[in-house]
């Protein structure tokens, strides 16, 4: 059986920080038709919340790859590395 | 400003950064290697294989002492379709020049060697900013403090926020980067050796084009480790957005194709990982040096995508930048004209020349991804279906039908476009 992203992520050691290191510009996202972040992310960090009309950002899932940063064509995403001592640690890589 | 000052600061302890650090440490220069992860390699992943050259020049004991998984004896290429596949394999008894490794172990081993020779290593240290004075780079700022040096080497990988901050690198587009996702699957040693037809410690590299990334610029890969296999795909970001599919969904589909499923069967997931690959090629190489600063490895977009090579040129560029820094320290001249020697050295390497050779290959393949990764893999599989099929229709009619369909399905205009692209790539490579 194919594993979901969440099941796979449970194999990655991670220490999430309390605040998100990924901050989308809410207004820009509302006008964005493409929403590349929903597709390029290997960790399912982004979900579109229809009621709130904004992105849900599960930053604790982030694998720190930077795909969303590049794919966001309007550069509407504030993207930085998590603080030193936080984030993912691969055992194998 | 003096107490926190060294000869060289290197940002990032991947293959490029550690190569630079060990080269400087060998020359007895004061060098600091900064890494944002808990240890060198803890944020990194790749396919993957490292190569004898230039690894042996930097780490002469690597064959005996480094955490190598297997020595690659066989290379397989699979043209994958939904229900069939065509594969070619090259196996040689000649001494091998490629080795599979796992980055969390390999990168750590390399950084440890630099430390052994006197480099100062600081993990859990995220560099946030490059510091300039009078237009020249003079140091860096971390979450905690400022450090100063005569030369700063940026080895901070594909995202290089620091090269961007300095304005040395333009923003890369989604068509110039691919995302790689990988699973390390645990399998007993004997099963791996049986399944991939390998002797003790021997490894097999498998590269796959076609399904499920039909008409997408992407590749699948399988590497054999001691007691696990590394299975993954790399696919251009713009293809994911266009096809509204995520990398993990593609990886799952990939593992289910009939050519791959038996190879990964019963593998227990040990770790999932993801990383970007620079795909811009030769034309995306940024400005490599400026007053007090040089850029190496993925940060400088130095990856040969056609052959899946990045660590070798990362290591070599790190070494060459370090050698240039040594000359600069000895001459007490850290100007851009002095550091331009790094670019000169790099231009004389075979790796750089290879990048130039393939400068249009990736772009041409990408522009024609529908035919290169979709249509032709399908047609090649169909051809073998005819050859291997026995039935009541004579082969001659099957061949005729194959050719007729080929012409019918493929409008003359697109056939012509494919031929032109193919010629363009070939000429580009041999000229
Ligand atoms: C899926 C995939 C498969 C690949 N397969 C192969 C293969 O089989 N063979 C091969 O040769 N190459 C392969 N490559 C390419 C290869 O991995 C890279 O080219 C190589 O790792 C580049 O080395 P580097 O040192 O320049 O960058 P990296 O290995 O990315 O190292 C950069 C380092 O800098 C650190 N860092 C980043 N920013 C900061 C900061 N601000 N402060 C402090 N530290 C920082 C990072 O944590 C990291 O340790 C593959 C790549 C991918 C993604």
């Amino acid at each position: 059986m194919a594993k979901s992203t969440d099941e796979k992520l449970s194999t990655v050691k991670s220490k999430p920080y309390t605040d998100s290191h990924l901050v989308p510009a809410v207004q820009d996202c509302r006008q964005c038709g493409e929403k590349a972040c929903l597709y390029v992310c290997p960790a399912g960090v982004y979900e579109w919340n229809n009621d709130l009309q904004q992105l849900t950002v599960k930053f604790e899932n982030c694998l720190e790859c930077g795909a969303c940063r590049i794919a966001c064509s309007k550069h509407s995403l504030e993207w930085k590395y998590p603080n030193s001592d936080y984030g993912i640690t691969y055992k194998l890589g | 400003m003096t107490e926190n000052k060294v000869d060289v600061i290197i940002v990032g302890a991947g293959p490029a950064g550690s190569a630079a650090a060990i080269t400087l440490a060998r020359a007895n220069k004061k060098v600091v290697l900064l890494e944002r992860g808990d240890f060198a390699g803890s944020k990194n992943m790749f396919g993957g294989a490292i190569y004898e050259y230039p690894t042996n020049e930097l780490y002469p004991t690597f064959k005996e002492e480094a955490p190598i998984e297997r020595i690659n004896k066989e290379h397989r290429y699979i043209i994958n379709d939904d229900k069939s596949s065509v594969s070619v394999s090259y196996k040689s008894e000649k001494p091998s020049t490629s080795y599979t490794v796992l980055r969390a172990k390999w990168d750590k081993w390399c950084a440890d060697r630099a430390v052994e020779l006197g480099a100062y290593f600081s993990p859990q240290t995220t560099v946030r900013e490059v510091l300039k004075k009078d237009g020249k780079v003079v140091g860096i700022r971390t979450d905690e403090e400022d450090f100063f040096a005569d030369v700063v080497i940026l080895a901070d990988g594909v995202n290089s926020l620091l090269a961007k901050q300095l304005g040395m690198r333009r923003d890369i587009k989604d068509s110039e980067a691919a995302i790689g996702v990988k699973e390390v699957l645990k399998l007993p040693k004997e099963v791996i050796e049986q399944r991939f037809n390998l002797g003790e410690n021997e490894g097999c590299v498998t590269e796959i084009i076609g399904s499920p990334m039909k008409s997408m610029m992407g590749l699948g890969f399988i590497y054999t480790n001691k007691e696990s296999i590394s299975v993954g795909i790399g696919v251009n970001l713009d293809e994911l957005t266009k096809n509204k599919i995520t990398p993990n969904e593609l990886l799952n589909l990939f593992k289910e194709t009939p050519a791959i499923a038996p190879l990964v069967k019963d593998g227990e997931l040990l770790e999932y990982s993801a990383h970007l690959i620079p795909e811009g090629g030769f034309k995306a190489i940024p400005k490599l040096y400026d007053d007090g600063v040089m850029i190496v490895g993925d940060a400088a977009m130095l990856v040969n995508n056609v052959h899946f090579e990045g660590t070798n040129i990362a290591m070599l560029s790190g070494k060459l930048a370090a050698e240039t820094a040594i000359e600069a320290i000895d001459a007490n001249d850290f100007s851009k004209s002095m550091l331009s020697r790094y670019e000169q050295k790099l231009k004389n390497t075979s790796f750089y020349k290879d990048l130039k050779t393939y400068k249009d290959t990736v772009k041409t393949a990408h522009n024609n991804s529908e035919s290169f990764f979709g249509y032709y893999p399908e047609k090649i599989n169909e051809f073998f279906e005819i050859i291997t099929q026995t039935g009541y229709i004579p082969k001659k009619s099957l061949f005729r039908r194959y050719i007729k369909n080929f012409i019918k399905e493929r409008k003359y205009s697109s056939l012509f476009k494919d031929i032109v692209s193919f010629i363009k790539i070939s000429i580009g490579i041999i000229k």
Side-chain angles (χ1 to χ4, degrees):
Chain A
M1 258 293 285
K3 284 194 163 59
S4 70
T5 311
D6 279 345
E7 281 173 284
K8 291 188 188 183
L9 288 172
S10 68
T11 63
V12 185
K13 188 179 159 198
S14 158
K15 184 175 159 194
Y17 192 61
T18 44
D19 301 328
S20 179
H21 57 290
L22 312 165
V23 185
V26 179
Q27 282 307 329
D28 288 3
C29 300
R30 283 182 189 154
Q31 275 144 32
C32 174
E34 186 182 63
K35 296 198 175 44
C37 56
L38 304 183
Y39 308 107
V40 300
C41 178
V45 165
Y46 302 97
E47 270 165 27
W48 183 249
N49 184 323
N50 237 331
D51 298 339
L52 295 176
Q53 284 293 302
Q54 67 180 49
L55 286 172
T56 310
V57 183
K58 291 193 270 178
F59 68 92
E60 64 281 4
N61 283 2
C62 178
L63 295 172
E64 303 164 33
C65 72
C68 55
R69 185 182 71 87
I70 291 171
C72 181
S73 53
K74 297 195 181 65
H75 304 288
S76 304
L77 181 67
E78 207 187 296
W79 190 100
K80 57 177 188 174
Y81 290 118
N83 282 12
S84 306
D85 193 22
Y86 288 91
I88 55 154
T89 299
Y90 290 132
K91 296 185 300 283
L92 302 168
Chain B
M1 178 157 160
T2 40
E3 92 188 57
N4 263 355
K5 182 164 180 276
V6 291
D7 293 328
V8 181
I9 290 172
I10 301 161
V11 185
S18 287
I22 199 165
T23 306
L24 283 150
R26 276 205 178 99
N28 294 316
K29 304 300 177 200
K30 268 185 97 173
V31 52
V32 171
L33 178 62
L34 305 174
E35 166 58 45
R36 68 186 191 91
D38 280 357
F39 54 87
S42 64
K43 303 276 190 190
N44 304 342
M45 77 79 118
F46 81 152
I50 57 108
Y51 307 94
E52 180 131 351
Y53 175 73
T55 310
N56 55 350
E57 286 190 359
L58 292 154
Y59 312 100
T61 61
F62 88 95
K63 279 189 221 170
E64 298 79 42
E65 292 170 13
I68 286 168
E69 295 290 326
R70 283 174 186 270
I71 306 168
N72 296 317
K73 285 275 179 213
E74 183 167 347
H75 290 257
R76 279 188 208 166
Y77 302 89
I78 301 181
I79 303 169
N80 208 10
D81 204 352
D82 296 338
K83 292 212 155 56
S84 65
S85 63
V86 177
S87 49
V88 196
S89 139
Y90 170 76
K91 191 166 185 173
S92 170
E93 281 312 307
K94 288 187 193 154
S96 183
T97 55
S98 114
Y99 304 78
T100 45
V101 302
L102 293 162
R103 292 287 297 276
K105 299 176 185 177
W106 171 258
D107 287 14
K108 181 175 186 310
W109 185 85
C110 293
D112 284 349
R113 299 290 74 71
V115 170
E116 217 170 55
L117 293 180
Y120 179 79
F121 178 60
S122 175
Q124 296 185 336
T125 308
T126 306
V127 176
R128 296 289 179 192
E129 201 185 326
V130 179
L131 302 172
K132 281 178 124 178
K133 200 181 166 210
D134 306 328
K136 299 184 181 83
V137 168
V138 292
I140 54 91
R141 174 162 296 162
T142 72
D143 281 335
E144 285 86 30
E145 56 191 322
D146 294 351
F147 280 108
F148 299 92
D150 289 324
V151 180
V152 173
I153 297 179
L154 301 181
D156 54 339
V158 51
N159 282 302
S160 194
L161 300 179
L162 300 173
K164 205 185 145 210
Q165 178 225 322
L166 288 176
M168 293 173 75
R169 206 173 106 168
R170 63 171 169 84
D171 267 324
I172 45 177
K173 296 192 285 272
D174 60 353
S175 57
E176 294 173 310
I179 176 81
V181 282
K182 176 174 109 164
E183 292 177 18
V184 181
L185 301 174
K186 187 176 170 186
L187 281 172
K189 189 170 168 293
E190 306 75 52
V191 172
I192 295 172
E193 284 161 11
Q194 214 168 39
R195 214 174 262 187
F196 291 86
N197 193 22
L198 299 168
E200 178 113 22
N201 297 325
E202 287 180 359
C204 171
V205 178
T206 312
E207 286 178 52
I208 303 104
I209 71 160
S211 297
M213 290 177 284
K214 277 194 178 173
S215 70
M216 286 185 229
M217 174 89 179
L219 272 185
F221 59 83
I222 305 176
Y223 290 84
T224 51
N225 305 314
K226 271 198 183 98
E227 294 185 29
S228 65
I229 57 174
S230 297
V231 184
I233 55 157
V235 57
N236 271 58
L237 296 179
D238 59 335
E239 303 280 17
L240 295 167
T241 311
K242 203 166 69 193
N243 292 283
K244 296 197 183 319
I245 188 161
T246 70
N248 184 40
E249 285 165 346
L250 269 181
L251 176 56
N252 284 339
L253 291 173
F254 172 69
K255 285 169 60 194
E256 283 162 13
T257 60
I260 307 305
L263 299 174
V264 302
K265 190 172 170 280
D266 297 330
E268 179 204 335
L269 181 64
L270 294 177
E271 192 175 73
Y272 176 67
S273 55
H275 202 282
L276 286 179
I277 313 165
E279 289 272 332
F282 187 75
K283 289 175 179 159
I285 298 175
K287 195 172 159 193
L288 294 168
Y289 60 89
D290 207 340
D291 289 313
V293 63
M294 290 178 274
I295 309 181
V296 297
D298 274 13
M301 308 288 279
L302 297 169
V303 171
N304 184 334
N305 307 99
V306 179
H307 291 283
F308 254 56
E309 296 166 12
T311 57
N312 48 5
I313 186 159
M315 287 186 205
L316 193 62
S317 62
K319 180 172 179 270
L320 296 176
E323 285 168 2
T324 307
I326 294 166
E327 291 167 22
I329 294 162
D330 293 345
N332 198 29
D333 173 4
F334 310 100
S335 66
K336 58 175 170 238
S337 80
M338 181 72 189
L339 300 185
S340 72
R341 291 189 190 179
Y342 159 53
E343 188 181 70
Q344 286 314 315
K345 292 184 175 113
L346 193 67
K347 280 186 173 163
N348 285 326
T349 64
S350 59
F351 297 143
Y352 190 89
K353 287 175 187 161
D354 285 352
L355 282 181
K356 203 165 171 187
T357 302
Y358 291 126
K359 70 181 188 307
D360 296 317
T361 313
V362 170
K363 190 146 184 247
T364 310
H366 197 171
N367 288 343
N368 298 284
S369 50
E370 185 271 325
S371 54
F372 275 54
F373 300 95
Y375 183 72
Y376 288 108
E378 219 169 74
K379 285 318 265 190
I380 292 167
N381 273 278
E382 232 174 79
F383 177 78
F384 279 93
E385 189 183 342
I386 295 175
I387 291 200
T388 53
Q389 199 178 61
T390 54
Y392 54 89
I393 308 173
K395 289 245 196 293
K396 191 164 174 176
S397 327
L398 289 173
F399 278 128
R400 280 217 179 117
R401 196 191 304 162
Y402 180 78
I403 292 167
K404 220 168 86 195
N405 281 345
F406 191 73
I407 293 169
K408 210 166 72 194
E409 290 160 8
R410 212 75 196 143
K411 280 188 302 205
Y412 282 116
S413 57
S414 42
L415 200 59
F416 183 70
K417 192 172 155 227
D418 294 342
I419 293 170
V420 170
S421 320
F422 184 75
I423 293 173
K424 248 167 85 185
I425 288 183
S426 313
I427 291 178
I429 291 172
I430 50 187
K431 90 168 169 218

